[in-house]
Amino acid sequence: AALSVERLEEAAREDPLAAGARLVLALTAGIAALLGLLGLALAVRSTLSAERAVLAEYEALGVPRGTLARSLQTRVSVLAVLGIGAALVGGAAAVFLLSAFVAVTGSAERPLPPIEGVIAWRSGVLLLAVVAGLALLVAATFARRALGRPTGGRLRG
């Protein structure tokens, strides 16, 4: 019987081990996104606590709270974009390096069906959009809370 690559690929997709591996990778991606968001929240929190007195001084000098809040949100947004970009580059490199490593079999022949690195762009972009939206929400919330107290209280504390 002739061997069809399409038939082998379909059989490999329906394999329980492959389905389990996809589930584990999806859970890992979700956990990584949650840890990234937690790291960003901690970075924002520590930045705001370190700069609380400086922000209060700027406000006492006449800089409006809205300008300070936008400045904080812009810095945190740039931090988030750089982190997401680094995650994309690192994740893509890991996918392609791993698929190249797995494609070399013990006999050093080309496997059938061929193993290719594939990135799930739709679900990845959706996950990144959710994390970016939550990061902006966290930044706005922390900035509002940091600038919410009266200026005099922030200068003393």
Side-chain angles (χ1 to χ4, degrees):
L3 202 54
S4 167
V5 172
E6 290 82 18
R7 194 170 8 149
L8 287 174
E9 285 178 352
E10 188 62 35
R13 280 192 185 93
E14 295 174 6
D15 183 54
L17 182 61
R22 279 194 307 271
L23 177 65
V24 167
L25 289 173
L27 288 175
T28 303
I31 291 170
L34 184 65
L35 288 174
L37 185 62
L38 180 64
L40 183 65
L42 290 174
V44 170
R45 179 84 172 151
S46 66
T47 299
L48 289 177
S49 65
E51 295 182 358
R52 191 172 309 242
V54 174
L55 292 172
E57 286 177 17
Y58 283 148
E59 191 174 345
L61 290 172
V63 178
R65 281 187 183 189
T67 303
L68 292 173
R70 280 191 303 278
S71 170
L72 287 172
Q73 290 172 4
T74 301
R75 285 189 316 171
V76 171
S77 299
V78 168
L79 177 69
V81 166
L82 291 176
I84 288 172
L88 279 174
V89 170
V95 165
F96 290 121
L97 288 174
L98 186 63
S99 63
F101 177 74
V102 171
V104 177
T105 61
S107 62
E109 294 176 4
R110 184 154 174 81
L112 191 64
I115 298 173
E116 298 174 4
V118 177
I119 298 176
W121 290 108
R122 276 190 222 145
S123 57
V125 167
L126 178 65
L127 182 63
L128 287 174
V130 168
V131 169
L134 288 175
L136 292 176
L137 181 67
V138 165
T141 303
F142 282 160
R144 196 174 320 114
R145 284 182 54 202
L147 298 171
R149 288 184 18 205
T151 307
R154 289 194 327 243
L155 281 171
R156 283 188 298 263

